[in-house]
RNA sequence: GUCCGGUUCGUCUAGGGGUUAGGACACCGCCCUUUCACGGCGGCAACACGGGUUCAAAUCCCGUACCGGAUACCA
């Protein structure tokens, strides 16, 4: 049997973290089993469903690259079929008309009202005491014909129980006495959730229903409908819930943006990283490992690995550094600094474009960013290269760009960092971090004259650079290399009787605007002689 | 209230009769280093509680506590 699963969100808001994980698990399971991953928009609650929500959910899924097979099903399109099914059940005596007038909606919190009602009815409540349950067909027909409104309810048997084997939670049993005669069709003819879900799942030939654990009791009601319809229910697999740090419900209303997929996209997260993080929330392959490619997740995913206990999505409100889960942030940083640079480049390009820092020279004609990169750029990990580059890529060239990204990504956490912290590498117009100025410049007043002097020294020492012939169109044979720079700076430092660190940190602040970054020698070389000199002479940082 | 489910470091988790209870994030320390949020090494830190069963229980059983979910003419 070919596996067919579906992700079935109701479009009442953006795609949030819990739904995203449900979608992911469905996707992983379908791909693992070689089946289909379908998408159904459960828009039967007309009052709350919006097109904007649908778009937002689709956007979120697209960002996470959880592409569905087959066409999207909109549940509201099937309302007629749902109604027909309810009528069929009515005809077969498996459901009945309930002429009880619809109760006025409570103005208090709905959940609380329901809880209070349930508590109050405790002990005396018999789920089968509806006076219309055994109304004769004739009388029912007559009242219906007279135009009296009625809801259609499922006629749940007096004794017995529903049971099913949940792929995550095991055998689930529920006595009929615990299940009310659920409404299938509202008195205004509107089909309700449980009916609609069952009809659509049958129609879509769904084999596995993978969804949040909050649907566990709905599964019993749905089993009842499947049985009445004479259809074998699909396999259910309920997922543990994702909770807020206080173990409470993670809600859009209460926690806002932190639960929205869009937030992560906009904050410079890599979908591949966030997906990886999500996969490990409530599921484990049983190994001591955190980083998995999509293919690996697909290959290793199994329903057995899903947990039964809820997971907390950990974040601290009002703490800018901890605005979202630490591990999610780490995961993103890990991907940014270790993924093949060629895969990262397109994302950096988009980020720089958005910040108006992108230059076409970074991606010359016929040279796509994703093409495999020269060996030095892909080496990755060591950001303190001892190797002296003889042919330095010309500032602004493709090779320079790749090398620079590879250099600066080592300490970045999000894509945003390329245009904020990394701005000075791509523009002359960058800001200076006040704390960096205070720590690295103001504390050493001498630097105000020394740094411009160092610029003079560079100019004198590396005067021959431009005279050198270009080995290739993209590289200049330069003496402005780390090996030579360190020699000059060291000599300069000794001459001034100061510490190397003072000079380097001052220079870093002037050249990059921030106090952290790669090896300063690499920064000099990357920025090139001209820019380094220009910035060392700049007075902006001193008098912002 | 009732029904259902859950409980291993702060968080994500591995382990499921005999383990020094493992890993990751976070945190702390040391090293590297011109800085650093990179890297390396190390540290802190957990089986909810009480009874059983057993030679042996974090692991199996029962109970308690706590947490969560459900209990709509919402989805």
């Amino acid at each position: 049997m070919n596996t067919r699963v579906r992700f079935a969100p109701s479009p009442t808001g953006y795609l949030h973290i819990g739904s995203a994980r449900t979608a992911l698990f469905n996707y992983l399971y379908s791909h693992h089993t070689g089946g289909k991953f379908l998408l159904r928009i459960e828009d039967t609650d007309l009052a709350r469903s919006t097109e904007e929500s649908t778009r937002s959910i689709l956007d979120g899924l697209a960002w996470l690259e959880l592409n569905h097979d087959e066409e999207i099903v909109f549940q509201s399109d099937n309302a007629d079929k749902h109604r027909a099914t309810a009528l069929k059940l009515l005809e077969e005596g498996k459901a009945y008309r309930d002429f009880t007038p619809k109760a006025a909606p409570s103005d208090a919190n709905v959940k609380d009202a329901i809880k209070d009602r349930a508590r109050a009815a405790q002990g005396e409540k018999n789920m089968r005491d509806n006076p219309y349950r055994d109304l004769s067909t004739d009388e029912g027909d007559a009242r219906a014909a007279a135009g009296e409104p009625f809801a259609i309810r499922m006629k749940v048997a007096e004794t017995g129980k529903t049971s099913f084997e949940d792929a995550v939670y095991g055998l689930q049993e529920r006595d009929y006495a615990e299940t009310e005669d659920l409404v299938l069709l509202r008195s205004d003819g509107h089909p309700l959730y449980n009916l609609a879900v069952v009809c659509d799942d049958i129609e879509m030939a769904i084999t596995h229903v993978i969804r949040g654990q909050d649907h566990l009791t709905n599964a019993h009601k749905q089993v009842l409908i499947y049985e009445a319809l004479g259809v074998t229910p699909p396999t259910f697999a309920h997922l543990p819930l994702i909770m807020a740090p206080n173990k409470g419900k993670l809600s859009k209303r209460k926690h806002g943006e932190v639960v929205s997929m869009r937030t992560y996209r906009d904050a410079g997260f890599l979908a591949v990283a966030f997906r990886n993080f999500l996969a490990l929330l409530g599921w484990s392959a049983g190994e001591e490992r955190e980083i998995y490619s999509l293919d690996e997740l697909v290959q290793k995913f199994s329903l057995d690995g899903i947990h039964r206990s809820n997971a907390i999505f950990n974040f601290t409100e009002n703490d800018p550094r901890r605005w979202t889960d630490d591990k999610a942030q780490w995961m993103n940083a890990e991907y940014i600094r270790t993924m093949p640079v060629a895969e990262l480049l397109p994302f950096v390009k988009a980020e720089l474009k958005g910040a108006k820092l992108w230059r076409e020279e970074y991606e010359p004609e016929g040279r796509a960013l994703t093409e495999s990169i020269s060996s030095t750029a892909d080496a990755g990990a060591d950001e303190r290269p001892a190797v002296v580059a003889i042919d330095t890529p010309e500032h602004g060239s493709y090779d320079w760009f790749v090398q620079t990204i590879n250099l600066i990504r080592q300490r970045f956490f999000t894509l945003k960092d390329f245009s904020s912290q990394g701005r000075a590498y791509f523009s002359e117009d960058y800001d200076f971090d006040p704390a960096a100025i205070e720590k690295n410049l103001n504390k050493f007043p001498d630097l105000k004259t020394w740094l411009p002097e160092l610029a003079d020294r560079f100019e004198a020492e590396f005067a021959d650079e431009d005279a050198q012939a270009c080995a290739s169109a993209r590289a200049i044979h330069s003496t402005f290399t780390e090996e030579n720079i360190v020699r000059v700076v060291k000599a300069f430092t000794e001459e001034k009787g100061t510490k190397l660190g003072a000079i380097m940190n001052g220079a870093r602040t002037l050249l990059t605007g921030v106090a952290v970054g790669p090896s300063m020698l690499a920064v000099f070389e990357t920025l090139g002689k001209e820019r380094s000199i220009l910035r060392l002479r700049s007075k902006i940082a001193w008098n912002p």
Side-chain angles (χ1 to χ4, degrees), chain A residues 32-73:
Chain A
H32 177 80
T33 56
K36 298 268 194 248
F37 171 59
L38 312 184
L39 181 58
R40 182 172 74 224
I41 303 295
E42 310 224 312
D43 56 348
T44 58
D45 187 339
L46 286 349
R48 291 194 299 154
S49 299
T50 67
E51 264 180 54
E52 163 57 23
S53 295
T54 302
R55 255 198 311 280
S56 178
I57 288 167
L58 261 24
D59 276 358
L61 292 175
W63 180 64
L64 287 169
E65 299 172 286
L66 301 179
N67 304 321
H68 56 273
D69 305 304
E70 304 187 3
E71 266 180 48
I72 302 177
V73 172

Side-chain angles (χ1 to χ4, degrees), chain A residues 21-29 239 278-279 281 283 301 306:
Chain A
R21 194 207 42 182
T22 300
L24 209 216
F25 282 19
N26 272 284
Y27 177 94
L28 293 177
Y29 188 68
L239 272 22
L278 242 28
L281 219 47
W283 172 81
F301 190 79
I306 299 174

Side-chain angles (χ1 to χ4, degrees), chain A residues 300-375:
Chain A
K300 288 173 183 287
F301 190 79
S302 82
L303 265 19
D304 301 334
I306 299 174
H307 306 154
R308 279 153 289 270
S309 54
N310 295 341
I312 290 174
F313 183 61
N314 207 9
F315 60 93
T316 309
E317 272 162 309
N318 305 319
D319 182 345
R321 250 188 88 209
R322 295 261 168 96
W323 68 275
T324 190
D325 197 292
D326 278 331
K327 204 154 191 173
Q329 300 201 57
W330 167 80
M331 188 84 72
N332 200 52
E334 184 69 11
Y335 270 88
I336 282 184
R337 58 189 172 234
T338 63
M339 73 196 286
V341 76
E343 283 173 31
L344 177 65
L345 256 18
F347 295 104
V348 176
K349 174 183 176 182
E351 175 58 32
L352 293 185
K353 267 194 165 170
K356 302 217 183 326
L357 294 172
W358 174 255
R359 288 166 53 186
E360 292 306 326
E361 299 92 296
Y362 297 153
E363 189 181 30
E365 286 285 334
R367 194 123 190 227
L369 280 182
T370 45
E371 88 180 54
S372 60
I373 312 299
S374 60
S375 56

Side-chain angles (χ1 to χ4, degrees), chain A residues 342-417:
Chain A
E343 283 173 31
L344 177 65
L345 256 18
F347 295 104
V348 176
K349 174 183 176 182
E351 175 58 32
L352 293 185
K353 267 194 165 170
K356 302 217 183 326
L357 294 172
W358 174 255
R359 288 166 53 186
E360 292 306 326
E361 299 92 296
Y362 297 153
E363 189 181 30
E365 286 285 334
R367 194 123 190 227
L369 280 182
T370 45
E371 88 180 54
S372 60
I373 312 299
S374 60
S375 56
T376 49
D378 233 349
D382 191 1
E383 34 72 43
R384 281 164 284 172
V387 190
V388 181
I390 301 299
D391 285 322
T392 306
E394 189 181 350
H395 189 280
S397 71
Y398 169 84
D399 289 313
W400 174 86
F401 180 65
V402 172
Q403 212 163 285
T404 300
I405 294 306
N406 202 45
L407 178 73
I408 63 181
R409 69 171 168 151
Q410 298 303 330
R411 284 181 179 75
F412 286 173
F413 276 68
T414 72
L415 258 16
K416 286 277 163 236
D417 292 333

Side-chain angles (χ1 to χ4, degrees), chain A residues 83-111:
Chain A
R83 263 188 291 276
T85 304
L87 259 16
K88 179 183 160 217
L89 257 17
L90 177 62
E91 242 166 65
E92 294 173 353
K94 291 168 180 166
Y96 62 93
R97 294 188 181 96
D98 181 1
F99 291 97
T100 310
K102 186 180 171 184
S106 157
D107 45 348
N109 181 307
V110 192
K111 290 262 180 198

Side-chain angles (χ1 to χ4, degrees), chain A residues 485-495 500 504:
Chain A
I485 295 165
V486 73
R487 182 174 47 77
V488 173
V489 177
K490 268 190 175 152
F492 183 79
T493 304
E494 276 165 32
E495 208 178 296
L500 190 61
M504 290 299 204

